[in-house]
Amino acid sequence: MSLLAVERLVVAYGRTAAVKGIDLTVAEGQVVCLIGANGAGKTTLMRALSGLLRPQSGRILFGGTDITGFSAHRIAALGMRHVPEGRQIFAGLTVAENLSVGAWLEQVPAERARRQEQVLARFPRLRERLSQLAGSMSGGEQQMLALGRALMGAPRRLLLDEPSMGLAPLFVEEIFAIIADLRREGRTILLVEQNASAALEVADVAYVLETGRIVLQGKAAEVAHDPAVVAAYLGG
Amino acid sequence: MLAQQLVNGVLLGAGYALFALGFTLMFGVLRVINLTYGFYFSAGAFVALFLTRDFGFSIWTALPLAAMAAGAMAVVLDWLLLARLRRRGAPELASLMVTLGGVLALYAASTAILGPDIRRLPPGLIAGAPFELFGLRVTMAQLLILLASLVLVGALVWLLHGTRLGLAIRAMAEKPDAAGLMGIDTGRIAALVSFVSGCLAGAGGVLIGLNFNAIHPYMGETMMLRGFVVVIVGGLGDIRGALIAGLALGVVEVLTAGYVDSGLKEAVAFAILVAVLWTRPSGLFGRPEMRRA
Ligand SMILES: Nc1ncnc2c1ncn2[C@@H]1O[C@H](COP(=O)(O)OP(=O)(O)OP(=O)(O)O)[C@@H](O)[C@H]1O
Ligand SMILES: [Mg+2]
């Protein structure tokens, strides 16, 4: 059985639907990537999955529970973390405070400290900047913080919305290396990426979204060789 | 004489600052100009009046109880009037109008029930005779105001910067959606912030009522105007700015009343507001975030 199942999901802003009846499944331990042009509805779908948007119709099942219409904090409590588009770090808080907010649901201080150590081991750059205001860091560092903050919740499932957006090539490489690590650790990941070739490389399964609808789905390796995908997304 | 005026001004300003702190906290976190806020000021003063006059409480116990009663009212009214609008992401104007309607109804109802006249706290509630301190005349009431303000401001700074709950409040003030994604129940934080803000307004009402020994249903409304001055001059959502601007407004009012004309003190306050907005549209100190204390 799939861990996350989306059934005929419709999400609208006012009267205009941005997600127009999507079916999608993610199995435990898989990396599923979602590619599509600007405005295709990728972010809208992610925000509905994490409870930031209320779907107009359809269902979202997570580990067998119907979470349609749940608010964001309840979905977070089920062990899912959404790293939103544009990072959305708390710019006015320090790096350490951002990480601490990420572990909000963890009541045991020793466990929070242990997780912070793990995150800092993964992102050594953040260690020197713990007391710095998050907003004063570079874009790449902020993306590391956004990922680190999500990992402070020790999530088994991650929604990553364009983690490499706007980053220098070196940072992009680092981000994809981290995604590969997270996958090896057995975490389930739904990944939205503009960088389609790198995303298809790290993913097991891929979906192609066009104006709110799934137009293609399959094994990532196969989708990567689809002529239409090559032409539209892989610069072929 | 000037020193005496400054003392009086600072003590008046302490009450203003408490009131404005709650207002700026509510605005900074919940992002709505909540016009019912002034009502909690009146409510706090009236609860203290009833507790001391009709139930024989001392001012030391009546003050925290009245503050908490005002805080509870703020939670209920926020839940009734604003929570659903917030969940739906309604435009700010809708929230503003709802609170305007709400506060007009609240004042009308409380005036109908309580009557419009000015009430006095029971005599002997607090030692009335002024005494000398470092050559200045201070009353017991003034000392109580000073002490209560220090305690409340200290408690607020501790809450915001010394606790995990405060961290959640600051996170939510900056990015409510991202806070929700971290598992923070933003509805509960909104209730907490309403409570704390209402407590500060209620405490301000008790202390100002004590300072002038005058309590009436509409006292919160005239305070609301001062609240706007302090919060806008201090920067919306800026705790430190509200503190400084509140104290400064008290001093300016007392000095205006003492050296110019007491009828002009409100006019001076608004002249300052207009001058600040013309020159520094985002306030003297700040940015609209809960970054500093
Ligand atoms: N807050 C909003 N209000 C109204 N319409 C919106 C809103 N956000 C997005 N839209 C519209 O919904 C559609 C899908 O947007 P969405 O952000 O989901 O696309 P996306 O696939 O994430 O694009 P990008 O690659 O640029 O991030 C677009 O047509 C967009 O204009
Ligand atoms: Mg997007």
Side-chain angles (χ1 to χ4, degrees), chain A residues 33-174:
Chain A
C33 87
L34 199 60
I35 55 182
N38 292 124
K42 307 180 296 293
T43 297
T44 305
L45 173 62
M46 297 290 248
R47 287 172 62 83
L49 293 181
S50 63
L52 290 178
L53 290 174
R54 200 172 275 265
Q56 196 173 62
S57 64
R59 290 207 305 168
I60 304 168
L61 301 173
F62 183 55
T65 318
D66 187 341
I67 59 164
T68 321
F70 273 33
S71 47
H73 71 95
R74 287 182 70 192
I75 294 177
L78 294 173
M80 183 142 83
R81 276 291 183 285
H82 176 183
V83 181
E85 185 177 64
R87 310 187 263 273
Q88 304 296 327
I89 55 154
F90 302 109
L93 306 187
T94 65
V95 170
E97 285 175 331
N98 269 273
L99 293 177
S100 178
V101 175
W104 168 253
L105 291 171
E106 176 52 57
Q107 301 302 323
V108 182
E111 172 60 17
R112 290 199 297 266
R114 196 184 65 80
R115 286 188 196 165
Q116 176 162 325
E117 263 322 298
Q118 284 179 344
V119 166
L120 294 177
R122 203 189 290 267
F123 305 105
R125 253 172 244 278
L126 295 180
R127 192 184 293 274
E128 307 134 42
R129 295 181 164 69
L130 278 176
S131 57
Q132 189 175 328
L133 285 187
S136 67
M137 297 199 301
S138 77
E141 290 162 353
Q142 291 189 14
Q143 186 62 60
M144 301 291 166
L145 178 59
L147 280 168
R149 184 182 63 175
L151 292 174
M152 288 295 289
R156 302 290 308 145
R157 296 91 199 195
L158 281 160
L159 305 175
L160 307 179
D161 195 347
E162 307 216 22
S164 78
M165 183 169 62
L167 301 187
L170 211 62
F171 270 115
V172 173
E173 242 172 72
E174 204 173 328

Side-chain angles (χ1 to χ4, degrees), chain A residues 25-39:
Chain A
T25 57
V26 180
E28 180 96 59
Q30 268 187 341
V31 174
V32 173
C33 87
L34 199 60
I35 55 182
N38 292 124

Side-chain angles (χ1 to χ4, degrees), chain B residues 1-8 135-137 254-255 258-259:
Chain B
M1 201 57 230
L2 179 64
Q4 181 70 54
Q5 302 272 28
L6 286 176
V7 167
N8 294 343
L136 298 166
R137 279 158 51 88
V254 167
L255 291 183
Y259 293 100

Side-chain angles (χ1 to χ4, degrees), chain B residues 87-153:
Chain B
R87 270 200 306 277
R88 287 200 199 150
E92 268 177 32
L93 190 61
S95 310
L96 189 69
M97 294 320 286
V98 163
T99 63
L100 177 60
V103 76
L104 291 176
L106 287 168
Y107 280 129
S110 57
T111 309
I113 295 166
L114 300 165
D117 12 296
I118 294 180
R119 317 293 184 86
R120 310 271 171 221
L121 289 160
L125 180 61
I126 190 160
F131 52 92
E132 294 265 325
L133 198 69
F134 309 116
L136 298 166
R137 279 158 51 88
V138 286
T139 62
M140 213 36 207
Q142 288 181 316
L143 279 186
L144 172 68
I145 292 171
L146 185 67
L147 188 69
S149 307
L150 288 175
V151 167
L152 284 168
V153 171

